[in-house]
């Protein structure tokens, strides 16, 4: 169970998914200079900034079950 403000829950879920994508790109043996790796790094960095912003600025709390 993930508990927090709706914006935080959404941003955290998206960040987790972008991290998995990054992991998959690295795991596929992508060249460090490849566009795929650069895109994955950029996408993950973007959602991390959004997550930090969401965590610092309040909205009502939301609870959602992410155990699936």
């Amino acid at each position: 169970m993930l508990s927090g403000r709706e914006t935080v829950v959404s941003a955290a879920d998206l960040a987790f998914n972008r991290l998995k994508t990054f992991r998959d790109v690295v795991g596929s043996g992508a060249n460090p200079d490849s566009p795929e790796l650069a895109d994955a790094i950029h996408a993950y960095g973007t959602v991390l900034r959004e997550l930090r912003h969401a965590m610092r600025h309040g909205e009502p709390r939301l609870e959602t079950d992410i155990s699936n």
Side-chain angles (χ1 to χ4, degrees), residues 8-60:
V8 174
V9 171
S10 296
D13 187 50
L14 186 56
F16 179 65
N17 286 317
R18 292 296 186 271
L19 178 60
K20 291 191 302 184
T21 299
F22 175 70
R23 175 206 60 198
D24 293 345
V25 170
V26 171
S28 73
N31 185 309
D33 297 327
S34 72
E36 295 83 10
L37 185 56
D39 290 347
I41 290 170
H42 177 73
Y44 182 55
T46 298
V47 297
L48 279 182
R49 284 189 296 279
E50 293 170 1
L51 176 57
R52 286 185 200 112
H53 180 79
M55 293 172 80
R56 292 177 179 144
H57 299 80
E59 283 192 12

